[in-house]
Amino acid sequence: MTSQHPSRKILTEKIKDCELEGIIFYDGFDDEILGMADDLSAVCYSKRGILLKLMTESDMQYEEAVEYYEFNIAGLYVGLGTPKIIDDTMILVNRKC
């Protein structure tokens, strides 16, 4: 049995203690976990972290990473418990909405 990433392990224990059901994790993105939603409905991930991981570990260019992210991650909805993405990309880029 492989050991879990500390963030995932802590949240898994919290989910078990609170008897929450249907909470989903994105495999391979444990380093990008920011925490749980306030209502404990989902695990929250960093969009910036996911994009950086796709670019570094999958050797994608930025545009490729964004396309992959939008189609395979952001577009995924499997009901309650689907992970939430926090758009923290604005932290690094000074842009207007």
Side-chain angles (χ1 to χ4, degrees):
M1 182 175 178
T2 60
S3 64
Q4 289 183 333
H5 185 278
S7 295
R8 187 168 182 154
K9 184 176 181 180
I10 290 167
L11 289 182
T12 301
E13 290 172 7
K14 182 176 182 100
I15 290 165
K16 184 179 176 183
D17 290 345
C18 294
E19 298 180 4
L20 303 172
E21 295 181 12
I23 303 296
I24 299 165
F25 288 88
Y26 288 136
D27 288 333
F29 293 102
D30 290 352
D31 287 335
E32 285 45 80
I33 292 173
L34 297 174
M36 290 287 289
D38 281 345
D39 62 359
L40 302 178
S41 64
V43 177
C44 297
Y45 288 84
S46 163
K47 178 179 179 180
R48 180 178 159 269
I50 290 172
L51 290 174
L52 288 172
K53 184 164 190 158
L54 289 171
M55 291 184 331
T56 57
E57 293 190 8
S58 297
D59 204 26
M60 294 182 186
Q61 296 297 316
Y62 177 75
E63 293 79 17
E64 294 172 304
V66 169
E67 183 177 336
Y68 180 90
Y69 163 82
E70 289 175 352
F71 185 77
N72 295 291
I73 299 172
L76 175 70
Y77 180 77
V78 290
L80 296 175
T82 299
K84 297 182 186 292
I85 306 294
I86 306 301
D87 186 354
D88 53 353
T89 58
M90 301 282 284
I91 294 170
L92 298 178
V93 178
N94 186 10
R95 63 180 180 196
K96 295 182 181 180
C97 298

